[in-house]
Amino acid sequence: MTLLSLYLYQLVIIVSYNFRVNNKILGGLFCISWVALFAFRGKEYGLDIETYYNIFLDPDYYRLDEPLLVLINSLLSIASNDLFWFNLTYALLINVTLYYFFYKTSENFVICFILFSTSFLFYQFNLNIFRQGLANTLSVLFMVMFYRNKIYCSLLLLLPVFLHKSSVIFFLYFILSHFRINKNLVIFILISSLTPLIAILPKLLIEIASSIFPFLSNALTEYQRVSSNGEIGASSFNHRNIPVICSIFIVYLRWDSLDTKRGERILASMLVFSFLFATVFTGNVLLYDRLIIPAQLISVIFIVDYLKQKIRVYFPVVIMLLVIFSSLFTVLFWGPRNFLPEYEFLF
């Protein structure tokens, strides 16, 4: 009940403020609350985060291709190798980055952060796919800042690639963002994403990507091998898709009013193409789960902002219901079936 208690605490505060919570101090309080919770997690609470701790203790435990995490670990380990220190610093890195991302991309950043914290992806970032979560969040953030006339962020786009190689996909998003997209193309992509694609296409795209980016070759080939051998299954239409599909439909409705200066157009572009590329690899759940992450992250922004515009009077009630439903689903249904049992404290 520890996780649900934290959601209840957040709900009580935002209700007491009548949902006028978009100030940095209050949002920072929610962010630090999650940092504290993950800082005190038990050693075996989580999934790949335990492997990250072993790498933190010994870089030779698992050799990473990307050097940035090795550098981060080297700097952090100067202070301590203690598990609490590891938990605290890693929780700070991912959660402060997420909070700052929503702060820079939405006027309703506190609500976005709270709603995202109820999703399974939030726990994936903190307890499983830490590197990719951090790298993808930074990539989306740097893309938005670049389109707000901060040219130096174009150089920063290279940084997440040295943290997780999957971030190389954002260079493709960068190129595609320069093409004019008609709103009818958005709905066409949405419909196409819901229909099966020919089986040969994923294999062909993997071969092309491997030839263009040789450093991706080993990972992509392995993903293709385990998929062909039946070691992993296909992705299916489930709860992961619903918020993304809703947000793409919202993008279609709002296409003509998207604010380019605020970065809404580039966010919409990444949302749509991330979902499209993920759908191409529906038959390979490993690739699908990695390609759809930007869309899952961005979808929260469009949903919250649209609800605030269209149902201003009932907005608090709707958000409260979404937080309650999503948190209960994640903690009580999704969690026990994956890697999220009852919370375990370090001490």
Side-chain angles (χ1 to χ4, degrees), residues 59-310:
D60 292 324
Y61 178 83
Y62 182 87
R63 278 291 176 183
L64 298 170
D65 294 332
E66 305 89 342
L68 187 54
L69 187 68
V70 177
L71 176 60
I72 292 172
N73 285 342
S74 298
L75 295 174
L76 293 178
S77 60
I78 294 173
S80 174
N81 285 329
D82 184 71
L83 177 60
F84 175 75
W85 173 247
F86 167 82
N87 287 347
L88 176 63
T89 52
Y90 268 50
L92 275 169
L93 280 171
I94 188 63
N95 290 290
V96 171
T97 300
L98 281 169
Y99 175 69
Y100 186 70
F101 165 73
F102 289 120
Y103 172 70
K104 298 297 289 187
T105 54
S106 175
E107 294 178 352
N108 305 293
F109 58 94
V110 175
I111 300 298
C112 285
F113 180 78
I114 291 174
L115 190 58
F116 183 75
S117 73
T118 67
S119 71
F120 67 96
L121 190 61
F122 177 72
Y123 292 98
Q124 288 273 27
F125 281 11
N126 276 281
L127 301 173
N128 189 18
I129 54 170
F130 170 82
R131 273 192 310 140
Q132 187 173 4
L134 183 58
N136 279 204
T137 305
L138 288 172
S139 294
V140 177
L141 177 62
F142 293 155
M143 287 275 281
V144 172
M145 293 176 69
F146 171 79
Y147 279 90
R148 289 178 179 172
N149 299 318
K150 295 188 177 180
I151 304 299
Y152 66 87
C153 286
S154 61
L155 298 176
L156 290 178
L157 278 173
L158 287 169
L159 190 64
V161 177
F162 293 105
L163 185 61
H164 198 283
K165 63 185 70 173
S166 66
S167 295
V168 75
I169 190 70
F170 285 90
F171 290 100
L172 179 57
Y173 296 151
F174 181 82
I175 295 171
L176 291 172
S177 67
H178 286 81
F179 292 90
R180 294 183 65 86
I181 304 175
N182 186 281
K183 65 181 294 185
N184 293 324
L185 180 60
V186 174
I187 201 69
F188 172 77
I189 290 175
L190 177 58
I191 295 172
S192 300
S193 299
L194 301 176
T195 59
L197 294 168
I198 55 176
I200 196 174
L201 186 57
K203 184 177 179 180
L204 178 62
L205 290 176
I206 286 177
E207 291 176 356
I208 294 173
S210 298
S211 62
I212 297 175
F213 305 106
F215 62 91
L216 293 176
S217 179
N218 290 338
L220 291 175
T221 302
E222 180 63 11
Y223 289 156
Q224 182 65 26
R225 183 192 68 78
V226 296
S227 177
S228 301
N229 293 347
E231 295 177 34
I232 58 171
S235 178
S236 60
F237 184 89
N238 54 38
H239 62 282
R240 293 176 299 179
N241 308 77
I242 295 173
V244 176
I245 291 172
C246 291
S247 61
I248 291 176
F249 188 66
I250 289 170
V251 164
Y252 170 75
L253 296 176
R254 290 195 53 218
W255 187 257
D256 295 328
S257 62
L258 291 176
D259 191 337
T260 302
K261 291 183 178 180
R262 285 182 54 207
E264 288 183 335
R265 189 60 64 95
I266 183 61
L267 283 171
S269 174
M270 285 188 284
L271 168 72
V272 172
F273 285 114
S274 171
F275 188 50
L276 176 63
F277 295 154
T279 305
V280 171
F281 293 97
T282 299
N284 189 318
V285 72
L286 289 177
L287 282 172
Y288 179 90
D289 283 350
R290 281 153 179 75
L291 288 168
I292 203 172
I293 286 174
Q296 293 170 326
L297 184 63
I298 295 167
S299 63
V300 178
I301 298 168
F302 283 105
I303 291 172
V304 171
D305 289 355
Y306 185 76
L307 290 175
K308 184 66 176 291
Q309 290 176 2
K310 294 299 180 181

